[in-house]
């Protein structure tokens, strides 16, 4: 059970607000082809097993699992899906190698959210039919409740949340895979129309289509396939109660992030994340989420994230650069592929392949994803250049 | 459901109990709308159907002429851009006779059953074809291996859909 697991291939495709030129199958085929080429041109016949992360409602096909194999080269192979964020899928793929059951496993996820006419409906159907749906609200009110409580409990300010938007959308200008790069002023965000108080329209990330495939391998196979492996040192995931009115630590806290990261840190033998994590790609589906998650991930103390952000601590040249890729606010929100999108930037940075936004001297990065409103599920992965 | 259902050891329920609010229920109906991008392969397939033609793609490695056409061979895992027209004739690989509607109600005495069938299309590789319907045929007469031909909708009524072919009838 102590086998080391490396990421040996990365491929992506799409990354547009709409992608009418490709079907989801063709988009994933492109991402998979790039991934396998990145892993030394491996043919999928040599891959032992495949894991996809998806949600049937997003695809409009029930038992969408059955539509996974073709575009990954997984026909007649072990295949299964995880109804969860793609970092949970990554954990599943990793475990297959750790147990010695498989040696090479692919993990994939995609978003074709542009094919949905009313994504809000699907988010609404994720709320409890007895307790929540009868109010018939736009479901993003839940983010408004969380943000308000988080600001109240920590003393974090509205402006500090807006500054997350400024940072991430500015960072995105250096990322060719980001769709929402912009140079904004504080008033652009704070003066924008309200969504669900205190949340404004710019505090929420925009939708993105795209596909990402990564290839994992045992240490032995990794050495054969690539000379630039990065290693999954730790992984963890956790889910709070679904009850909006009785979350274990209340609406202001992201306890799922705390528990998921504790599990990942323990596995990676990390005792002081602030000193041992060089940079982080963490969920910023909403502006306040980045700050709330930073605290829950123990990258700073409770209530400190906003102030440290203003000091530049999380900027590309700061102590712990956060969302150098632009995050979801700058790059666009990839839904169940959110986790692989966060992971992708960590891989590129650790390999030194991040181009104009490359960070210097990075060895260990953290990827963290949240499953979005109304969930209380998160997954974290610690990735390092050292096995 | 008007009669009381007897349940051993339980309490009987009637439809009226539910209608009158004696039993609490929460109702909701889902409203989801999707418009799937067809992409390159399916787009061309549908455009050709609108023209009254069936087109396939051919894999240069395994030499399969594949229906429905795809931009990549799922077995060889290479791109396929070699388009090839195939016939609108073929043979019945397997079929069924639907005695119930989609909602499981039985079809009426005078109603004709739907006849879904897998048609191996002439010109496509063995075992490849189109899942469609049979028509202009007595269900008793259908045989696996029977030769059939597409019956197309009039050109003006075609929309670029798999049902631009109305059904396949015996040759
Ligand atoms: Zn082939």
């Amino acid at each position: 059970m102590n086998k080391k697991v490396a990421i040996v291939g990365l491929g992506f495709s799409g990354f547009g607000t709409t992608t009418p030129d490709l079907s989801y199958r063709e988009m994933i085929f492109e991402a998979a082809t790039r991934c396998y080429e990145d892993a030394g041109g491996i043919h999928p016949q040599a891959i032992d097993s495949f894991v996809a992360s998806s949600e049937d409602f997003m695809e409009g096909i029930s038992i969408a699992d059955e539509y996974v194999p073709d575009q990954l080269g997984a026909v007649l192979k072990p295949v299964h899906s995880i109804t969860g964020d793609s970092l949970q899928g990554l954990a599943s793929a990793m475990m297959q190698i750790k147990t010695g059951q498989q040696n090479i496993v692919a993990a994939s996820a995609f978003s074709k959210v542009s094919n949905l006419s009313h994504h809000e409906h699907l988010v609404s159907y994720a709320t409890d039919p007895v307790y929540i749906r009868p109010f018939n609200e736009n479901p993003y009110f839940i983010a408004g409740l969380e943000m308000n409580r988080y600001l109240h409990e920590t003393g974090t300010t509205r402006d500090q949340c807006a500054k997350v938007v400024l940072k991430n959308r500015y960072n995105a200008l250096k990322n060719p895979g980001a769709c929402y790069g912009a140079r904004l002023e504080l008033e652009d965000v704070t003066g924008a129309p309200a969504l669900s108080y205190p949340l404004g329209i710019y505090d929420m990330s925009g939708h993105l289509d795209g596909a990402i495939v990564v290839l994992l391998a045992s240490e032995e196979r990794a050495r054969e396939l690539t000379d630039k492996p990065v290693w999954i040192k730790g992984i963890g995931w956790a889910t709070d109660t679904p009850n909006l009115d009785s979350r274990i630590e209340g609406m202001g806290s992201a306890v799922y992030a705390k528990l998921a990261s504790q599990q990942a840190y323990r596995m990676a033998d990390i005792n002081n994340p602030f000193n041992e994590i060089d940079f982080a790609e963490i969920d910023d589906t909403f502006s306040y989420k980045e700050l709330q998650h930073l605290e829950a991930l123990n990258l700073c103390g409770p209530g400190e994230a906003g102030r440290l952000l203003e000091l530049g601590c999380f900027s590309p040249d700061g102590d712990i650069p956060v969302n150098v890729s632009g995050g979801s606010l700058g790059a666009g929100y990839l839904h169940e592929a959110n986790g692989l999108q966060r992971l992708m930037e960590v891989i590129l940075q650790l390999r030194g392949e991040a181009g104009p936004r490359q960070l210097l001297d990075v060895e260990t990065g953290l990827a963290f994803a949240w499953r979005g409103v109304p969930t209380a599920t998160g997954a974290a992965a610690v990735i390092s250049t050292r096995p | 459901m008007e009669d009381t259902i007897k349940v051993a050891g339980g309490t009987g329920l009637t439809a009226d109990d539910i209608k009158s609010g004696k039993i609490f229920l929460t109702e909701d109906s889902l409203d989801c709308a999707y418009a799937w991008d067809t992409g390159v392969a399916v787009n061309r397939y549908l455009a050709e159907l609108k023209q009254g033609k069936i087109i396939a793609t051919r894999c240069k490695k395994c030499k399969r002429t594949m229906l429905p056409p795809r931009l990549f061979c799922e077995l060889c895992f290479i791109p396929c851009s070699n388009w090839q027209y195939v016939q609108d004739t073929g043979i019945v690989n397997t079929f069924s006779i639907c005695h119930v509607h989609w909602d499981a109600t039985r079809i009426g005495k005078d109603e004709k059953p739907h006849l879904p069938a897998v048609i191996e299309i002439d010109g496509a590789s063995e075992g490849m074809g189109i899942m469609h319907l049979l028509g202009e045929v007595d269900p008793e007469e259908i045989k696996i291996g029977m030769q059939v031909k597409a019956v197309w909708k009039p050109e003006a009524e075609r929309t670029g859909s798999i049902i631009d072919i109305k059904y396949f009838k015996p040759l």
Side-chain angles (χ1 to χ4, degrees), chain A residues 33-52:
Chain A
T33 300
R34 283 182 178 160
C35 173
Y36 304 158
E37 210 47 47
D38 186 49
I42 189 173
H43 192 280
Q45 261 167 8
I47 297 172
D48 299 319
S49 170
F50 300 79
V51 180

Side-chain angles (χ1 to χ4, degrees), chain B residues 59 61-62 64 73 76:
Chain B
C59 173
K61 194 165 174 208
C62 67
R64 290 188 306 162
C73 172
C76 303

Side-chain angles (χ1 to χ4, degrees), chain B residues 49-61:
Chain B
L49 286 172
K50 195 163 189 284
Q51 303 303 315
K53 292 174 186 160
I54 301 173
I55 200 161
T57 49
R58 188 169 162 81
C59 173
K60 65 183 179 191
K61 194 165 174 208

Side-chain angles (χ1 to χ4, degrees), chain B residues 97-168:
Chain B
I97 302 169
C98 298
H99 293 282
V100 288
H101 297 120
W102 73 270
D103 62 357
T105 55
R106 299 203 71 78
I107 60 168
K109 280 202 173 61
D110 303 324
E111 207 176 335
K112 285 183 184 166
H114 276 201
L115 304 167
V118 173
I119 317 292
E120 289 185 37
I121 292 290
D122 293 332
S125 288
E126 198 181 337
M128 290 218 148
I130 296 179
M131 166 42 236
H132 217 285
L133 300 172
L134 297 173
E136 294 183 44
V137 62
D138 182 343
E140 310 273 307
E141 305 286 311
I142 308 170
K143 298 272 184 296
I144 286 175
M146 178 187 254
Q147 285 193 300
V148 291
K149 181 174 172 54
V151 175
W152 295 84
K153 280 184 183 168
E155 200 172 343
E157 290 174 25
R158 289 185 216 140
T159 58
S161 159
I162 191 68
I163 55 173
D164 284 350
I165 296 173
K166 290 204 297 199
Y167 49 78
F168 285 78

